[in-house]
Amino acid sequence: MKKISSIVFCFLFLASSVFGQQCSIRPERLQCESLVNPLGIDVASPRLSWILAAENPADYGQRQTAARILVRRDLEEFWDSGWIESPEMRVEYSGPELESDRKYSWSVQVRDENDNVSDWSEPAFWSTGLYLPAEWAAKWLGSDQQFDREAGIKKTDNNIDDPWFRKTFELKEKPTQAFLFLASVGYHELYVNGKRIGEGVLAPCVSDHSRRARYIAYDIAQELRPGRNVIGVWLGTSWSIYAPYATEDKPRTPIFLAQVDCRFADGKTVRVATDGTWKTTPSPNRLLGTWDFGNMGGELYDAGKEVADWSGLGFDDSGWKTASIYSPKLALSAQTVQQNRLFEEIKAAAIEKKENGDYRIDMGRNFVGWLQFDLRGEPGKKIELLSSESESLPNTFRIRNAYILGPSGKGTFCNRFNYHSGRWVLVKGLTEEPRLENFRARMIRTDFPRSTSFVCSSDLQNWLYETICWTFENLALGGYVVDCPQRERMGYGGDAHATSETGMFNYDLEAFYCKWLQDWRDVQGHEGLWKNLNDPKVIGTVGSMRELGGGILPQTAPTYFGGGGPAWGGICVTLPWFLYRHYENVRVLEEDFEMIEKWLAFLESHTKDDLLQRYGGEWDFLGDWLWPGAYEMNNDSPETLCLNNSYFVFNLQTAAKIATVLGKTEQAAKWNDRADVVRKAIHARFFVPEKSSYSDGSMANLAAALLAEVPSAEVREKVIRSLEEEILVPRKGHIFAGITGGALLFKYLRETDRHDLIYSMVSQEDYPSWGFMRNNGATTLWEAWEKDRPGHSLLHSSYLYPGAWHIEGLAGIKRDPDSPGFRRFVVRVPNLKASEISRAKANFDSPVGMIVSDWARKNEQLTLTVIVPPNCKATVYLPAAEKAGITVEPNRAKFLRHENGYSLFEVDAGKYIFNAP
């Protein structure tokens, strides 16, 4: 390791621009731990990554042969990696040990294919959190109010206020650095000297608060001043009263701890931390509902209790109480995922006046977000805001808000620690007829970047793609994907399996999913709560999510609650593998390997005669779920036993691939051998020779068996034909599967390039289909194929799996099966008729840079434009059986071979235009 001065650093920064030829590439989009300039990272050896841009986009073949990283701290060089002879665009920091609560900046330069050296990149930075528990001096604080759980079971409203907290302190001068670390159970907002800090909302991300709290680092140095300063914290009740998080050491009230070391130019520090000197009082805000299944509620704001400048310097808090100190046994870790943030504004589309004087506001589309309504009425009167996602119901799932008018008789309601979910809002209590401009909202989601745009020649597919993306965004809150944002807000593993590849092909979700996998590690060894759903003596009491040990997983994380089956807990195997394939993330495989081992051992403990057996309670062994017309439970049926055993094999074979990547060859062999044994047992038990099918012959079971490679070579083609016939003949081209079965079906068809069968299902417009949803006014995708099923959600994660196919299948951008991370990828034009799809285009900002596939069929001629980012190669599949007649501009494509009606070419970085008959 070399140490160099700032002068030498500057010289090196300039040298590559002065000497030698210009480098063909430059590093951009610098990230630390898959985040842009993150604060408070507690990873000891963070991963530093970048992509490459071409200095001249008209050139070809640009690539990286080496990279060099320089890290600085306090303007001084801290670590010089030296030249790393590698094309890899992610390097793990391996310099001197990082210190807690420090800021580090870094830059990277690269060498290109001709050994020319690039300029240094624009510097990026990260700051560290607190690595050791002993570094925390802060104490947990809360109010003395406690949630009444017994009343909550009766579906009454929460009885505690969202509290305010203040701390006044003195500084002799303005600090040069001040990162405040804030963890809370329940949502929080931070204020310094009366100013709200940060753009994040509904912070922090959701965690298993029976064992963990995540802290956020806030840079407050610019808000502090010499003399008197005030830190204010506003807490929201939310997850602090969620039943599964109840523990003996933790109160049923929102709590927080905070700590900041103010650093000065002379090296001295002043620490401000939560302790017994902080003051608290109730705020005007309160949670409506009890944060339960079907009663997540909303917020009540009493404008008559407003206090001006409560967090400001001039406020007198002498009448406030001393905050209560608590001692929960919670592990503290940094929030290494983006915060929730407000996105586009949604304006009211129409107002309907009811005969009783109420007004129903149509916001134009179903969404999750914050309402901002200007209200007028009698002073002191409560205005009620009832949310609904149904045209025929005034209120769905008890999502509701309320505003008590102050002395002026007018005010603006805005959410703060809860959110609306629905399309319509019924407003009760207004005394003046409102105008459309009085009603607006902002959509909320986790602030990960969207990476992809897609358009094709089909209006239905364009609608479906955008609706899938809109639905996914409205479900991605708090660092995990909720099943639905109004009834449950649970992180179901089965739904994750059905949505994660759609998510990765359309958003940058590496940090998001890595956080969620830590949640799964946290909940392993605990059962869920469905057995005790209706027992008030058990649910919500201490230890209701019993710790059983071993590899059992509840069906949701970090939320425990809910039903499912092997394909729900099995997300602990599939999601790490998807992350590795998509982002070339090996660390996630290492972090989750023990969880995978325990999970497969748990499943193995429930086998008999080499087949997985029914286990758990009533809701613990679901197979496919919510197929068309599904109303009954399916956990005791033979077809579910067949599907879950195929999924068991799918988990085993995926785990074996993970073990192989990690060099654990012995374990890989054991899992592969076990998968072979279970395959034979499935085939012996469930194969129906006369129909060449498995069990009930459903799409779900046929696809699951094929994906798990259950059919032997002798019958495989017959089983494939049976699946094809099931889709096209009795189902007349419609899908007949649910969440789990549909996801497995689409995955199998995508991987085998049966885009004709997928197109058949996604192009239908009568029941059951996505087109049926569109024709019935859907603006988000439903939980069930039927619109008006009582108690079911109209904004749900059930059927989002075509969103991966639009990019991978229609646009044709596919991961290379032999190369994770897209440095090698495939562009394969689907062999569809021009009458079905005549054009498709996707701009995919992949983990290694922008990939473009743009193809069109016209007058029996195919034109394909492909853009390959620097440092990458692509294999292009043209649906032309002969090379004759194919032209490529420029003539740099390497012809490889003919294969199954396609001509294959290899291309390196650059833009190519293919023409073929």
Side-chain angles (χ1 to χ4, degrees), residues 29 51 449-453 504-508 582-583 807 813 822 842-852 869:
R29 203 173 79 191
I51 66 167
R450 184 161 178 177
S451 58
T452 308
S453 64
M504 287 183 221
F505 268 108
N506 291 286
Y507 303 90
D508 183 356
H582 201 86
Y583 298 101
I807 310 307
I813 301 172
F822 289 96
N843 294 340
F844 171 42
D845 198 1
S846 78
V848 292
M850 181 63 72
I851 297 171
V852 176

Side-chain angles (χ1 to χ4, degrees), residues 18 45 184 308 345 471 482 508 539 584 593 753 916:
V18 178
S45 298
S184 63
E345 184 176 74
T471 302
V482 301
D508 183 356
I539 186 169
E584 200 174 0
F593 193 76
D753 296 311

Side-chain angles (χ1 to χ4, degrees), residues 2-6 8-9 12 68 70 76-78 80:
K2 295 182 287 184
K3 293 274 186 175
I4 57 175
S5 68
S6 297
V8 175
F9 180 91
L12 290 171
R68 181 183 181 188
L70 285 175
E76 294 295 327
E77 194 276 320
F78 188 72
D80 178 358

Side-chain angles (χ1 to χ4, degrees), residues 16-229:
S16 59
S17 299
V18 178
F19 303 109
Q21 297 179 343
Q22 183 185 38
C23 186
S24 67
I25 48 179
R26 65 180 183 273
E28 293 184 344
R29 203 173 79 191
L30 276 61
Q31 292 185 326
C32 172
E33 285 299 304
S34 308
L35 298 168
V36 177
N37 297 333
L39 299 179
I41 295 293
D42 60 358
V43 178
S45 298
R47 293 162 297 183
L48 307 175
S49 62
W50 58 93
I51 66 167
L52 298 170
E55 290 289 359
N56 182 358
D59 282 346
Y60 292 85
Q62 304 96 328
R63 59 188 174 89
Q64 172 188 305
T65 58
R68 181 183 181 188
I69 295 171
L70 285 175
V71 176
R72 292 196 292 178
R73 189 186 74 187
D74 299 334
L75 302 180
E76 294 295 327
E77 194 276 320
F78 188 72
W79 177 57
D80 178 358
S81 71
W83 282 107
I84 303 168
E85 304 292 332
S86 170
E88 297 299 324
M89 295 181 286
R90 171 148 43 186
V91 172
E92 185 173 292
Y93 172 82
S94 58
E97 184 176 354
L98 301 174
E99 295 182 36
S100 294
D101 192 18
R102 300 299 294 267
K103 185 175 180 179
Y104 298 85
S105 63
W106 66 287
S107 296
V108 60
Q109 67 176 174
V110 296
R111 284 205 310 252
D112 69 8
E113 66 281 3
N114 295 313
D115 286 335
N116 295 317
V117 178
S118 74
D119 290 340
W120 288 97
S121 68
E122 290 294 321
F125 66 84
W126 81 91
S127 76
T128 52
L130 300 181
Y131 285 116
L132 302 175
E135 295 177 293
W136 284 96
K139 298 183 182 299
W140 285 95
L141 301 183
S143 74
D144 58 3
Q145 295 183 354
Q146 296 284 318
F147 173 59
D148 185 347
R149 179 66 197 173
E150 185 175 350
I153 293 174
K154 299 175 183 177
K155 297 296 183 184
T156 59
D157 282 330
N158 155 61
N159 64 294
I160 62 177
D161 299 302
D162 293 336
W164 282 330
F165 297 85
R166 276 175 56 97
K167 170 65 178 178
T168 303
F169 59 98
E170 298 279 341
L171 294 176
K172 291 183 179 181
E173 57 182 303
K174 188 177 181 67
T176 58
Q177 177 185 300
F179 293 116
L180 184 143
F181 304 114
L182 174 56
S184 63
V185 178
Y187 293 136
H188 70 253
E189 289 181 350
L190 173 66
Y191 297 79
V192 175
N193 295 331
K195 179 181 178 181
R196 169 88 193 281
I197 305 299
E199 296 183 351
V201 299
L202 301 177
C205 64
V206 184
S207 303
D208 174 8
H209 287 314
S210 68
R211 63 200 65 250
R212 182 182 303 279
R214 289 182 168 97
Y215 61 86
I216 297 175
Y218 294 93
D219 187 351
I220 65 171
Q222 294 305 310
E223 309 307 326
L224 298 174
R225 62 192 69 185
R228 191 165 176 261
N229 291 270

